[in-house]
Amino acid sequence: MIFLSILQAVGLFLVTNIDDIIVLSLFFARGAGQRGTTTRILLGQYLGFAGILGAAVLVALGAGAFLPPEVIPYFGLIPLGLGLWAAWQAWRNRDDDDDDEGKIEGKKVAVWAVAGVTFANGGDNIGVYVPVFLSVGPAAVVAYCVVFLALVAVLVVVAKFIATRRPIAEILERWEHVLFPLVLIGLGIFILVSGGAFGLR
């Protein structure tokens, strides 16, 4: 039974987190050449995902008062705000980027930024995990959580691998200042609209 739960957990994690690879790859591109980038991204991803798991478990335990479902879509404001800030920074520094002949220096990636984006992007995860947690026993929930947390590191490694392949790295490096804010803004708008925030649905 536990083995079956582990297999189901792996499948569930892949389905609900495959989109994170793109965002994490952009974080790696953004922090290219900066010491500690991998550690900060890993910590941020773990913090954000721990928040997702904690929220899912709380809701599954009937603690909906702590995180009402209608609040979840508003977490889309986090990547939206980060994306707008990144776009403003890119626009403000556009002359410096031109002087570097398209070569973008690595920027320090903040743990809180990765954690915030991860958590904000986890609204669908929470929506999927809660009914699953409600349908299985406590032992299976623990197994799911352990597998999920182990796979977070794998997700980060895959994203780093993708971001450091030369052809992909060159594209990300050249267009990171455009892609990074666009992906975050798009992600934020998607979370807000799909969740019906501000009556947008």
Side-chain angles (χ1 to χ4, degrees), residues 116-165:
V117 170
T118 299
F119 186 79
N121 194 28
D124 57 337
N125 297 50
I126 295 171
V128 172
Y129 296 164
V130 169
V132 172
F133 289 172
L134 287 172
S135 66
V136 298
V141 171
V142 171
Y144 271 78
C145 291
V146 170
V147 171
F148 286 170
L149 291 173
L151 289 175
V152 165
V154 176
L155 189 72
V156 172
V157 169
V158 171
K160 182 177 182 179
F161 176 82
I162 291 172
T164 53
R165 297 308 91 194

Side-chain angles (χ1 to χ4, degrees), residues 31-191:
Q34 289 286 324
R35 290 183 62 184
T37 293
T38 301
T39 301
R40 287 191 294 274
I41 290 175
L42 186 63
L43 285 175
Q45 184 72 6
Y46 264 111
L47 284 174
F49 197 79
I52 291 170
L53 277 184
V57 170
L58 281 176
V59 173
L61 290 174
F66 292 107
L67 190 68
E70 59 270 16
V71 171
I72 293 175
Y74 291 94
F75 283 107
L77 292 171
I78 297 173
L80 178 60
L82 289 171
L84 291 172
W85 174 254
W88 163 249
Q89 292 291 93
W91 182 79
R92 197 177 69 173
N93 299 325
R94 64 193 183 283
D95 294 331
D96 294 339
D97 291 339
D98 290 340
D99 293 340
D100 290 338
E101 297 179 354
K103 191 80 173 172
I104 298 169
E105 288 184 12
K107 303 170 185 69
K108 190 169 183 180
V109 175
V111 172
W112 66 267
V114 179
V117 170
T118 299
F119 186 79
N121 194 28
D124 57 337
N125 297 50
I126 295 171
V128 172
Y129 296 164
V130 169
V132 172
F133 289 172
L134 287 172
S135 66
V136 298
V141 171
V142 171
Y144 271 78
C145 291
V146 170
V147 171
F148 286 170
L149 291 173
L151 289 175
V152 165
V154 176
L155 189 72
V156 172
V157 169
V158 171
K160 182 177 182 179
F161 176 82
I162 291 172
T164 53
R165 297 308 91 194
R166 182 173 294 278
I168 299 173
E170 287 175 356
I171 293 171
L172 290 176
E173 185 179 342
R174 188 169 189 83
W175 296 102
E176 175 272 336
H177 66 293
V178 174
L179 292 173
F180 188 76
L182 278 180
V183 168
L184 292 187
I185 291 170
L187 179 62
I189 292 173
F190 174 77
I191 293 170

